[in-house]
Amino acid sequence: MKKICPSILSADFSRLSDEILDVEKAGADIIHCDIMDGSFVPNISFGAKIVSDVNKITELPLDVHLMINNPEKYINDFYNAGADIISVHYENNYHLDRVVNQIKNLGIKAGVVINPATPVLLLEDILGAADIVLIMSVNPGFGGQRFITQSLKKISQLRSMIDKNNYGCVIEVDGGIGIENIKEVSEAGADMFVCGSSIFGSADRKKTIQILRENIL
Ligand code: DX5
Ligand code: ZN
């Protein structure tokens, strides 16, 4: 089943527990946690302590997207904080296969992320090991940016690569997704949809999630 994954980067952190319970009640499938270090990306967000506190509040799986340098040093911290999925970027990893296996050896799912300018063909030799491939449809660092339409081509291309070889991984897409474009993203072949501002910025989150879901059926 396709999944809607609200990113708490766009939540009101002064009311984080209410915000999370609200999207959980509104029908979210997974909580997406954006971890930024101010070095790999030009913004700082939050770390494992917040993820661990979020894990106490919600029953939903936690999808941890690491936008940090030296991610291998922090995998255990996020695992201990309750991550169900940990995703690392292709661009700053010399030993991607090693990190993916480090994550999988903990018994959780491992994701590999590519930025908008990174071609999907570079993932050919990691698709057999990854549980998830996350295609960034904005340049990582901030919520509320415009969806880069070139990403649709990348999603279809990745879909064919996965289907042709019967790989078990699913496709997640992150950035600029809302009710106006989620259908196209889904039709291109995505399975998981990260939505930050389109859900947290909406006055009626239940209605928004319902519309998002109707468009990916
Ligand atoms: C961007 C983050 C995204 C972001 C999505 O670096 O990885 O998860 O929060 O936010 P929207 O949906 O507002 O683009
Ligand atoms: Zn993200």
Side-chain angles (χ1 to χ4, degrees):
M1 203 189 80
K2 300 205 174 197
K3 310 247 189 248
I4 307 279
C5 318
S7 161
I8 56 170
L9 191 64
S10 297
D12 177 348
F13 277 61
S14 68
R15 307 171 39 252
L16 190 54
S17 108
D18 290 344
E19 293 277 80
I20 288 168
L21 290 174
D22 193 42
V23 293
E24 182 169 347
K25 264 202 294 183
D29 297 307
I30 289 174
I31 299 294
H32 184 85
C33 302
D34 285 307
I35 313 301
M36 303 177 178
D37 66 353
S39 170
F40 177 61
V41 290
N43 193 11
I44 298 175
S45 60
F46 54 87
K49 168 71 164 73
I50 299 275
V51 174
S52 163
D53 289 350
V54 167
N55 192 39
K56 290 186 213 150
I57 301 165
T58 179
E59 296 294 315
L60 294 178
L62 301 184
D63 173 23
V64 173
H65 173 193
L66 295 182
M67 285 160 274
I68 62 175
N69 285 324
N70 307 119
E72 67 285 350
K73 288 192 193 164
Y74 301 94
I75 303 293
N76 274 325
D77 292 348
F78 286 100
Y79 168 73
N80 290 329
D84 297 279
I85 302 166
I86 297 180
S87 298
V88 292
H89 272 257
Y90 172 90
E91 293 81 7
N92 62 348
N93 249 297
Y94 294 119
H95 300 289
L96 191 58
D97 182 76
R98 177 180 285 148
V99 184
V100 162
N101 283 298
Q102 185 188 348
I103 298 168
K104 293 208 307 183
N105 287 339
L106 294 168
I108 59 173
K109 291 198 158 67
V112 171
V113 193
I114 52 168
N115 281 337
T118 304
V120 291
L121 283 176
L122 293 175
L123 297 176
E124 206 164 358
D125 292 312
I126 196 70
L127 289 182
D131 296 301
I132 293 165
V133 175
L134 199 177
I135 293 191
M136 287 307 301
S137 41
V138 297
N139 286 297
F142 303 95
Q145 302 180 79
R146 189 190 291 265
F147 183 88
I148 297 171
T149 47
Q150 165 73 9
S151 319
L152 293 171
K153 253 194 245 161
K154 293 174 72 178
I155 300 164
S156 324
Q157 199 185 351
L158 179 61
R159 179 84 270 155
S160 319
M161 284 163 74
I162 293 172
D163 292 351
K164 204 168 87 199
N165 295 287
N166 273 319
Y167 289 128
C169 51
V170 302
I171 302 178
E172 180 173 12
V173 183
D174 184 0
I177 301 176
I179 53 178
E180 68 293 345
N181 61 4
I182 195 167
K183 195 167 201 288
E184 285 176 287
V185 179
S186 176
E187 285 172 356
D191 306 291
M192 292 170 67
F193 307 83
V194 179
C195 301
S197 46
S198 62
I199 290 179
F200 283 102
S202 135
D204 187 343
R205 291 161 180 178
K206 191 166 184 175
K207 186 87 204 279
T208 301
I209 292 180
Q210 194 186 326
I211 298 171
L212 287 167
R213 201 179 294 287
E214 281 164 11
N215 278 287
I216 57 173
L217 290 176

